Amino acid sequence: MKNRILFSIFLTIFSFVFTVSAKQEKYTKHTVAKGETINMIAQKYKVTPYDIYSLNPDSQNGIQLNSVLLIPSSASVVVIHSSQNKPQSNNSNSHLVQPKETLYSISKQYGVTVDAIKAANGDLLSNGLKIGQNIKIPASGSGQNVAVSKPAEAPKVVAPVVSKPVVVKVIPKVETPKGETTYHIIEPKETKYGISKKYGMTIPELERLNPQIVSEFPIGFKLVVSGNAVNQAVLETAKPSVEATKPTVEIATAETPSTKKYLEEYVVKPKETITTIANDYGMSEQELISLNPELKRGIKLGMILRVPKGQRKEPVKKEQGNLLKTINTNARKQLALLLPFNISKIESDTINSTQARLKKDKFLNLTLDFYSGVLMAIDSAKVLGMNFDIKILDSQETKNSSNVAALVQQNNLQSMDAIVGPFYQTNVEKLAELLEPTKTPVISPLSKDVGKKYANLYQSMPSTEFLRSSIFDFMKAKSGNIIAVVDNKKGSVKQYIQEMQPDVRIAGLSAKGTFVADSLRVLFQKDRLNYVVLASESTGMILATTSVMLNAQKEYQVQLVILEQNDTFDFDEISLTRLTKLKLLYPSLSRPNETDEANQFDAKYKKINRITPNQYAIRGFDVTFDTLLRLSQEATFEETIQVSPSEQIENKFDYVQNATYGYSNNGIYFLYYDSDLTIKEAL
């Protein structure tokens, strides 16, 4: 209780400090006039372009007429000096760093070395080159240190003759002697599509020559290919490096004349994603994007894409909820579950009693919760008349070890129709590797990690990457105006948005990394729903951002969005009312379920275990029951994956075959906080 009170006091102080510091920083709004540039605006307000870019990240891609920029007051601009009280050298130049420039390109422009530039600028370049910096360029041949100070007027920028080395690629035609067989060794990350295009053939032709790759595509396999292999000679006008002399593989794009005859147009249909379309054509997402660069801004209904001609595998229409209607009780199926009870460790623990261990061993408690759900699933399957044998084995695992190999040998796991577990990704991958020759399905029940790929591995937990991309696809399908507020501590989120969601606008932060209200307000649009994606664990930043959004509701449609679970939102300082007013939206692996079936499950579980089921108990039931349901069909486990998604108590299982390996579960929900203080599914 005492700690709770102290924590609340700390948060109150933090919020107060944040509010004061925010008020002390003053910003000016500038509306871009015709013909203005960032340099001109920076000169007008006596700031640097870098200061403007910090508050207006999107301006690095160019500014538009009548767009509004935030300009910091000149007094708040921090000037960095490489030395103090040192006179400026007369035999040096200043250079204003432009987008996409590098130290190498600048050094070539001025005819000096990179080391000389670094020496002239001291600590200014210790964190790398940044757009808008004024750096000193020493005179040719000079190596002395030069002080850096803020110029009274931005210097004129002279465009370099060559900003970076020019690379000329020559792809000669290589003649293969008639009758000679050409081979290709499958490298990591290669796909059937990429290899077939490299040798001027289609995927069906490649599969006819190599029947072994119809269902599998193992790294290191020696393929027989038709046509002529493509060799590339790379000539560079710059000095060749070791990297430049390495052989490269070029992915042909839609603009490459040699590949146009292999392409056709495809119109994006409802609920399709980049991943599903790439899988349908047997290619990777990157290869699809290379053919359609506009996909970097996201996929939209009705888009016309360039795709490989005649290679689409028409997806079989999946029918929700038909597995219960087609249960086959004739064949007896075999299921094994590998769960980390770690009994040997419990028995060898001479210090702690079993009861004491249960109190402090969170992983053991998680396992037992999952196991309790498994038992409920087995009982439900028996009631429905499913015919099966089940082995429940102790995987004796930690994150880096398990007895998986011994269990495979001792229990003849190769004969199983399917296996659920182990829990840790490295261990479930080891099991999939051992059972890949027999194609035994291995279902990973809890891990969201992505590691090695195996054709028989089924990831039942949707990946973090899929959750992120799906929520952005959802917002774009609603034609929303998407804005992101990203804490400096969330660098990976910012990088993801910049690389994978480049059309999303990012609100600028102050030089201290604090939230600037006007940087968000100027990005709102009146004719669209404004989604604000907030990535921060700072209570102050969350309160400040949501306050701006609440005030903006008088003029704009706004909705708050998060990309993943954030415990900070559970703090008392962030009221539930605040979140419901902004209809907090987020992607989720599970859903709240108030149906009669769900309530009956809760009541039965509570009667048996004298406690309400938690997320791991429900997960144990859902994964196990879905597996038993799929095994109790006329079709094989893999065949049911192709045609039938399923939805259990809280989890959805909609497996999708990846382009070159195994299966991923794309069954997720989009949930939001409704005004009646309940969580609902967004449609």
Side-chain angles (χ1 to χ4, degrees):
M1 182 68 179
K2 182 179 179 181
N3 290 338
R4 175 68 176 172
I5 294 172
L6 290 173
F7 187 62
S8 300
I9 293 172
F10 170 78
L11 287 175
T12 304
I13 294 172
F14 177 84
S15 300
F16 175 76
V17 172
F18 173 83
T19 304
V20 171
S21 64
K23 287 183 178 178
Q24 288 177 338
E25 297 178 1
K26 297 180 180 179
Y27 303 93
T28 303
K29 293 181 181 179
H30 175 85
T31 302
V32 178
K34 185 176 181 179
E36 281 190 319
T37 65
I38 288 292
N39 288 339
M40 294 168 62
I41 297 170
Q43 291 182 40
K44 179 178 179 179
Y45 292 96
K46 293 183 171 58
V47 297
T48 69
Y50 178 70
D51 299 323
I52 298 177
Y53 290 140
S54 296
L55 283 174
N56 308 270
D58 295 327
S59 62
Q60 297 184 41
N61 300 321
I63 55 176
Q64 298 179 348
L65 179 65
N66 295 325
S67 62
V68 178
L69 299 176
L70 287 186
I71 312 296
S73 60
S74 58
S76 66
V77 176
V78 179
V79 182
I80 302 176
H81 296 271
S82 63
S83 61
Q84 296 181 352
N85 303 322
K86 187 173 181 178
Q88 181 175 330
S89 175
N90 293 325
N91 60 345
S92 62
N93 298 311
S94 293
H95 177 86
L96 190 66
V97 179
Q98 300 298 306
K100 298 183 179 181
E101 283 191 318
T102 64
L103 282 174
Y104 177 79
S105 65
I106 296 171
S107 69
K108 293 303 177 187
Q109 177 186 345
Y110 291 97
V112 296
T113 65
V114 170
D115 289 339
I117 296 177
K118 289 181 178 179
N121 290 276
D123 295 336
L124 180 62
L125 299 180
S126 60
N127 293 323
L129 197 65
K130 296 180 180 179
I131 297 171
Q133 283 181 320
N134 280 304
I135 64 173
K136 291 299 177 181
I137 308 298
S140 181
S142 173
Q144 64 183 25
N145 292 328
V146 182
V148 179
S149 60
K150 180 182 175 183
E153 187 172 296
K156 182 178 180 181
V157 179
V158 180
V161 177
V162 179
S163 62
K164 58 183 179 180
V166 178
V167 179
V168 180
K169 293 187 177 181
V170 180
I171 306 177
K173 183 176 181 181
V174 180
E175 298 294 338
T176 302
K178 187 174 181 180
E180 183 178 331
T181 303
T182 304
Y183 297 97
H184 177 91
I185 306 297
I186 299 175
E187 299 291 337
K189 298 184 180 181
E190 282 192 313
T191 64
K192 294 179 186 179
Y193 171 77
I195 294 173
S196 65
K197 286 297 162 280
K198 179 180 179 182
Y199 293 97
M201 58 197 303
T202 65
I203 290 179
E205 289 172 343
L206 187 64
E207 290 179 339
R208 278 197 298 272
L209 287 173
N210 305 271
Q212 305 93 329
I213 68 169
V214 173
S215 59
E216 300 178 312
F217 200 67
I219 296 171
F221 186 81
K222 189 175 182 180
L223 294 173
V224 177
V225 294
S226 65
N228 298 323
V230 178
N231 291 331
Q232 296 181 341
V234 180
L235 303 179
E236 295 188 16
T237 58
K239 182 180 179 180
S241 65
V242 174
E243 290 296 320
T245 60
K246 292 182 179 179
T248 59
V249 177
E250 181 177 5
I251 298 177
T253 68
E255 305 304 323
T256 306
S258 61
T259 63
K260 285 183 178 179
K261 63 182 179 180
Y262 298 115
L263 300 177
E264 61 185 2
E265 292 183 343
Y266 178 77
V267 180
V268 177
K269 297 179 177 62
K271 297 185 179 180
E272 287 189 315
T273 65
I274 295 175
T275 301
T276 59
I277 295 175
N279 286 337
D280 288 343
Y281 282 92
M283 58 199 303
S284 67
E285 292 182 30
Q286 189 56 47
E287 288 169 336
L288 183 61
I289 293 173
S290 72
L291 291 175
N292 305 272
E294 62 272 22
L295 286 176
K296 292 180 180 179
R297 298 188 294 274
I299 190 168
K300 295 181 180 179
L301 177 65
M303 284 180 69
I304 299 177
L305 304 179
R306 293 171 290 278
V307 293
K309 185 179 294 184
Q311 292 184 183
R312 179 176 172 81
K313 298 178 181 177
E314 289 299 328
V316 179
K317 185 178 180 181
K318 295 186 177 182
E319 297 181 6
Q320 182 74 37
N322 64 347
L323 292 174
L324 280 171
K325 301 176 182 179
T326 56
I327 293 176
N328 173 30
T329 60
N330 295 326
R332 194 166 183 83
K333 298 299 177 72
Q334 311 289 319
L335 173 67
L337 294 104
L338 273 60
L339 308 180
F341 297 110
N342 293 320
I343 294 175
S344 60
K345 290 185 178 180
I346 296 175
E347 292 176 341
S348 62
D349 189 345
T350 58
I351 299 176
N352 299 299
S353 64
T354 302
Q355 187 176 3
R357 193 177 184 93
L358 283 171
K359 286 183 178 180
K360 66 179 183 179
D361 193 332
K362 293 182 180 180
F363 187 64
L364 177 58
N365 277 277
L366 182 156
T367 301
L368 293 175
D369 288 334
F370 188 91
Y371 178 57
S372 67
V374 169
L375 296 179
M376 290 281 291
I378 294 172
D379 184 62
S380 297
K382 288 180 179 178
V383 172
L384 291 170
M386 298 184 198
N387 192 2
F388 52 81
D389 290 324
I390 292 183
K391 288 184 178 181
I392 298 177
L393 305 171
D394 184 3
S395 57
Q396 296 184 35
E397 62 178 299
T398 65
K399 192 172 184 178
N400 301 310
S401 65
S402 72
N403 68 336
V404 164
L407 289 176
V408 170
Q409 292 182 346
Q410 296 168 4
N411 296 276
N412 192 26
L413 294 186
Q414 298 92 333
S415 64
M416 293 290 126
D417 293 294
I419 299 175
V420 175
F423 281 7
Y424 283 113
Q425 184 69 20
T426 53
N427 300 330
V428 82
E429 287 173 359
K430 179 63 176 177
L431 180 62
E433 179 185 14
L434 293 171
L435 300 180
E436 193 172 30
T438 57
K439 299 183 179 179
T440 305
V442 176
I443 298 96
S444 177
L446 290 176
S447 174
K448 290 192 291 186
D449 296 337
V450 178
K452 298 178 181 178
K453 319 299 181 184
Y454 298 98
N456 60 327
L457 180 58
Y458 295 76
Q459 293 286 159
S460 70
M461 293 283 281
S463 67
T464 301
E465 290 75 12
F466 180 75
L467 286 170
R468 284 181 178 178
S469 63
S470 295
I471 191 67
F472 279 105
D473 287 343
F474 177 86
M475 292 185 285
K476 290 172 184 176
K478 301 290 184 182
S479 300
N481 173 40
I482 309 174
I483 307 163
V485 177
V486 186
D487 195 310
N488 284 337
K489 295 180 180 179
K490 296 289 184 178
S492 61
V493 175
K494 186 174 183 179
Q495 182 180 1
Y496 167 80
I497 293 174
Q498 290 173 332
E499 293 180 357
M500 303 304 296
Q501 309 292 343
D503 56 331
V504 174
R505 296 185 295 173
I506 301 178
L509 304 178
S510 72
K512 298 179 181 179
T514 56
F515 174 72
V516 179
D518 284 342
S519 70
L520 179 58
R521 290 193 191 100
V522 297
L523 298 177
F524 287 147
Q525 295 181 8
K526 288 191 175 182
D527 57 341
R528 301 167 69 185
L529 174 56
N530 297 277
Y531 291 107
V532 178
V533 179
L534 178 56
S536 175
E537 294 178 1
S538 162
T539 307
M541 182 171 285
I542 293 172
L543 289 172
T545 303
T546 52
S547 294
V548 171
M549 294 179 67
L550 289 170
N551 292 331
Q553 284 184 324
K554 301 172 185 177
E555 301 179 64
Y556 303 95
Q557 299 179 66
V558 295
Q559 186 167 9
L560 180 64
V561 182
I562 57 176
L563 302 179
E564 57 192 356
Q565 182 180 353
N566 189 337
D567 293 337
T568 311
F569 282 85
D570 295 331
F571 289 175
D572 292 340
E573 287 72 23
I574 303 171
S575 68
L576 181 61
T577 303
R578 177 181 291 253
L579 302 181
T580 56
K581 285 182 178 179
L582 296 174
K583 294 187 179 297
L584 175 64
L585 175 71
Y586 59 99
S588 176
L589 305 175
S590 59
R591 56 162 181 172
N593 189 352
E594 298 297 333
T595 63
D596 290 340
E597 292 82 359
N599 291 331
Q600 289 172 10
F601 171 84
D602 287 350
K604 185 175 180 180
Y605 184 94
K606 191 171 183 179
K607 183 178 180 180
I608 296 173
N609 299 283
R610 298 182 181 181
I611 193 173
T612 302
N614 63 15
Q615 60 175 321
Y616 297 109
I618 295 174
R619 182 74 186 171
F621 175 89
D622 286 356
V623 172
T624 306
F625 191 75
D626 175 75
T627 304
L628 288 170
L629 200 55
R630 294 184 185 281
L631 291 178
S632 301
Q633 306 292 317
E634 291 283 357
T636 65
F637 183 90
E638 185 176 9
E639 288 170 343
T640 68
I641 294 299
Q642 306 290 344
V643 297
S644 301
S646 79
E647 199 165 20
Q648 305 306 331
I649 302 299
E650 287 189 359
N651 297 272
K652 184 187 299 183
F653 300 93
D654 186 6
Y655 290 101
V656 175
Q657 186 173 16
N658 298 306
T660 57
Y661 59 90
Y663 295 83
S664 298
N665 181 16
N666 286 357
I668 64 171
Y669 301 93
F670 302 118
L671 306 178
Y672 72 97
Y673 284 35
D674 203 0
S675 55
D676 62 359
L677 304 183
T678 62
I679 297 176
K680 290 187 172 65
E681 186 175 355
L683 303 174

